[in-house]
Structures are given as structure tokens and as C-alpha cells.
Amino acid sequence: IRGGAIGTGFKVKFYGILIVSGALLCYAITDHEVYKKYKKHGLIDNLFIVAFLFGILGARLWYCFVLEPEYFLANPGQIIVGIVSGGLAIQGGALLGIIAGVSFVLLFRKYMDVRYVMDVAIPTILLAQAIGRMGNFFNQEVFGAATSYESLWFLPTIMRKNMLIDGSYRVPLFFIEAVMNIGGY
């Protein structure tokens, strides 16, 4: 499965599926932790939607205006429609998603301890990022320098074989980052 293609004429956007899966894991963990304190599920439903949507917006804006400003200033129409071609940056997503989420709690969940919610919600972003990075495997993105097949001994065979990119085996930076994110969580 290279680039998310299955058969002919049909492409599955594994990266998008995995980003949403990671976000749902964030929601489940945070909802469970908030339930422990407030004895009610669903208190973060709206918070999750707001933080997720602003996170996607922040990730796109960061990519466009911090990583590729010349192109997007010259082609502003690509800021939104170009997202289907890729271009999200976790820094902007985390920043705007956290700001929106904290603001939501302060404005609409005044009975909740915002520091507690931050303590349980923000670290889960690392897990979501780890899951999302695995989408880069399917898209053959976020890889490093050329290396030998033998140096990838620690990877499962399917991953090793799919690290053959542009004629060379590559260091799986996506995998290294995913492992570090899980460790950070």
C-alpha cells in the first residue's frame, strides 16, 4: 500500500484517518480522566470539537505562513483548497488548538478547573501525533537520509520494505518521532 492507493482509481487518505483516530483517542482518554473528577461523561464533547477544528486550522496556517510563506502569499487560494495535497504542522495545530480549548473551558465550563483539564488533555496530543505520524508511513513522507536495508533491522518487514523511497532505503523519521511522542506521553 504505497501512497494510500488501493486498486485503481480509489485512494484512501490514511493520514487523515489516522489523524482523526488519534484525536478520538485524545477525546476518550481526556473524557475518562474528566469523568474521574466530575463523575459525568460528555463534559468535554464541545471542547473537543472546538479544539480539534482550531487545531486543524492552526496546523494549516502554521504550515502556510511559517513554513511556506512565499508560496501561499502569492497563491492565497491554495491556503484552504491546497490542504488536500498536504501541509499541516503540529506546532500550529497544538498552539491554536490549546488556546481555543483553554478559552472554551474558561468561557463555557467555568465550574471546571482549567489547570486540571489542561493537565489531562494536553499530553494526549503526543499520542495523537504518534498515531498521525504513522499515516506518514502510508504516504511515504517524513523520512530521512538514505541508509541500508540492514540498518532498519528493528522495523517490521512491511515497514522496512516500504522505506524504499526514490531508489534508496530511508531513515524512518516518522517512526522515530512516533516512538518519542509515546515516550513523552
Side-chain angles (χ1 to χ4, degrees):
I1 301 175
R2 293 183 188 261
I6 297 177
T8 57
F10 181 69
K11 287 187 112 175
V12 175
K13 301 293 185 179
F14 286 104
Y15 186 66
I17 291 169
L18 290 170
I19 286 175
V20 171
S21 298
L24 291 173
L25 178 63
C26 286
Y27 168 78
I29 292 170
T30 303
D31 183 62
H32 179 71
E33 292 299 320
V34 167
Y35 174 79
K36 287 180 186 178
K37 181 171 178 121
Y38 294 101
K39 305 299 181 214
K40 185 176 178 186
H41 284 291
L43 294 176
I44 63 157
D45 290 359
N46 293 337
L47 163 63
F48 169 74
I49 292 168
V50 167
F52 181 72
L53 292 176
F54 274 91
I56 295 293
L57 177 63
R60 182 63 179 168
L61 292 175
W62 188 283
Y63 178 83
C64 292
F65 295 114
V66 175
L67 301 178
E68 299 283 341
E70 300 85 18
Y71 175 78
F72 287 102
L73 289 173
N75 302 286
Q78 289 298 309
I79 293 170
I80 300 302
V81 297
I83 197 169
V84 297
S85 301
L88 298 173
I90 186 64
Q91 305 92 322
L95 182 64
L96 194 55
I98 290 167
I99 290 169
V102 168
S103 299
F104 183 87
V105 172
L106 291 172
L107 292 171
F108 301 108
R109 297 292 186 266
K110 294 179 182 178
Y111 58 89
M112 295 176 78
D113 178 359
V114 70
R115 292 173 297 167
Y116 175 77
V117 175
M118 289 170 60
D119 279 349
V120 298
I122 292 174
T124 65
I125 295 170
L126 292 169
L127 292 178
Q129 176 67 0
I131 292 169
R133 276 292 176 230
M134 296 314 293
N136 296 126
F137 165 70
F138 292 105
N139 295 351
Q140 291 191 320
E141 302 168 329
V142 190
F143 54 85
T147 189
S148 67
Y149 181 81
E150 293 75 27
S151 70
L152 303 174
W153 62 268
F154 60 95
L155 295 175
T157 303
I158 187 172
M159 204 177 279
R160 258 185 288 164
K161 287 181 179 178
N162 278 288
M163 290 313 301
L164 181 61
I165 302 168
D166 296 331
S168 299
Y169 287 96
R170 302 291 179 152
V171 174
L173 295 178
F174 70 90
F175 181 74
I176 295 166
E177 183 179 336
V179 170
M180 290 174 64
N181 283 324
I182 292 167
Y185 174 77

